[in-house]
Amino acid sequence: MGRLVIFVAATMLAAAFVLPMLYTVLSSFKPLEEITKVPLQWLPESLASLRFGNFTEPLARANFARYLANSMFVSGTVTISSVIFCTMAGYSLSKFTYFGRDAFFMVILITLMIPLEVIFIPMLIIVRELGMNNSYWGLIVPVMITPFGVFWMRQFIMTIPDDYAEAARIDGLNEFQIFWRIIFPMCVPGLGALAIFTFMSNWNSLIWPLIVATRQDLWTIPVGLVAFESEFARPLNYIFAMSVVAVLPTVVLFAFLRRRLLSGIAMVGIKG
């Protein structure tokens, strides 16, 4: 009986998450008049009423292709840089002993408790003073390395025995070679999980791209979706279609790196 109750509760919770996404996908193929029809209907009235133009028209006319390219470039660049720099920082904090190491790591942990919205204004002031607003630099540089990424990789690298690095030092490798040839390849499960978290976070980011880039040619797809809804018109058919397009890259990334994510989460402990 207890398992049955848990199963029913889990099914209802899953339905609460899945049904809105399912309705979004189905509505992305409907004309506007069917979406706004009362009572609500889930499926298109007929195959003849399917509107594939909901996907092609915004990409061609509403500059969504540029928004999509901007999101891919910014999210991809931030993900690659975060994977590299966070792994370097995690390696330093886990395998080296020097003055202030533990205090520095505590500062990183403290910053994890600060909401991003609190530091957006100071970050924006710094970006403007450096002349990086309305540029890709302003979208990328402030988020290239995150406290969570450093913490994640530090915890993962601590699970790697020190014997590998010691053996490499005996063979004559320097610290940089040890990192790239020994440590970095052994961090693949943790790197896959960090890549998914970082890419999804930056792909779905709205507030930071909205305040740092006022030029339309620098907008990412979340900003484009918000701006697409005007004061006098609400093209729900296009909004649903572009929402589906916006979700696809993260779904594909998760499908490819799902095993890395699960193994990375399983291997990252609380050691240290």
Side-chain angles (χ1 to χ4, degrees):
M1 181 61 68
R3 291 185 177 181
L4 179 61
V5 172
I6 294 175
F7 177 78
V8 172
T11 302
M12 295 176 62
L13 183 62
F17 284 97
V18 172
L19 290 179
M21 293 188 291
L22 179 61
Y23 179 76
T24 299
V25 174
L26 295 174
S27 298
S28 64
F29 294 97
K30 297 178 184 178
L32 181 60
E33 56 271 15
E34 291 187 15
I35 296 176
T36 56
K37 183 179 293 185
V38 179
L40 180 71
Q41 61 181 34
W42 284 79
L43 298 175
E45 292 182 351
S46 63
L47 293 177
S49 65
L50 293 178
R51 286 287 305 275
F52 295 98
N54 292 343
F55 293 89
T56 58
E57 292 178 13
L59 291 173
R61 300 179 182 178
N63 215 23
F64 265 92
R66 180 60 182 266
Y67 305 156
L68 189 63
N70 288 339
S71 291
M72 290 294 296
F73 175 72
V74 172
S75 301
T77 304
V78 171
T79 300
I80 294 173
S81 63
S82 181
V83 163
I84 295 174
F85 293 133
C86 289
T87 307
M88 287 182 174
Y91 179 53
S92 172
L93 292 170
S94 61
K95 298 301 183 182
F96 292 92
T97 301
Y98 47 86
F99 176 77
R101 184 196 67 173
D102 295 335
F104 182 67
F105 182 63
M106 288 300 299
V107 172
I108 293 176
L109 293 180
I110 292 173
T111 58
L112 284 172
M113 307 175 189
I114 302 175
L116 288 177
E117 291 76 10
V118 175
I119 62 175
F120 273 163
I121 300 303
M123 285 174 58
L124 181 61
I125 295 174
I126 294 173
V127 166
R128 286 181 175 177
E129 290 295 326
L130 295 176
M132 294 192 301
N133 59 311
N134 279 324
S135 68
Y136 288 112
W137 293 108
L139 292 171
I140 294 173
V141 172
V143 292
M144 286 179 66
I145 184 169
T146 61
F148 171 79
V150 175
F151 167 76
W152 178 270
M153 294 311 302
R154 186 255 188 190
Q155 297 301 107
F156 187 90
I157 294 175
M158 288 196 70
T159 63
I160 300 175
D162 296 337
D163 298 339
Y164 292 101
E166 293 296 334
R169 291 188 183 98
I170 294 174
D171 290 339
L173 272 67
N174 57 41
E175 296 300 331
F176 190 77
Q177 291 173 326
I178 293 173
F179 174 77
W180 280 111
R181 297 184 183 181
I182 308 298
I183 301 299
F184 197 80
M186 296 181 69
C187 295
V188 169
L191 295 176
L194 179 61
I196 291 178
F197 292 143
T198 304
F199 185 88
M200 292 181 63
S201 175
N202 286 274
W203 183 270
N204 298 322
S205 178
L206 171 63
I207 300 179
W208 180 247
L210 183 64
I211 63 177
V212 78
T214 57
R215 282 170 39 194
Q216 189 173 354
D217 60 330
L218 293 174
W219 285 356
T220 56
I221 200 162
V223 180
L225 282 172
V226 172
F228 200 44
E229 184 176 354
S230 63
E231 182 179 356
F232 303 102
R234 187 171 294 179
L236 294 177
N237 52 334
Y238 295 147
I239 293 176
F240 281 135
M242 291 301 98
S243 298
V244 172
V245 172
V247 170
L248 283 179
T250 55
V251 173
V252 172
L253 181 66
F254 178 79
F256 277 102
L257 298 179
R258 177 173 56 88
R259 292 185 179 180
R260 300 294 185 188
L261 173 63
L262 297 178
S263 61
I265 293 175
M267 293 180 66
V268 172
I270 56 174
K271 184 177 180 181

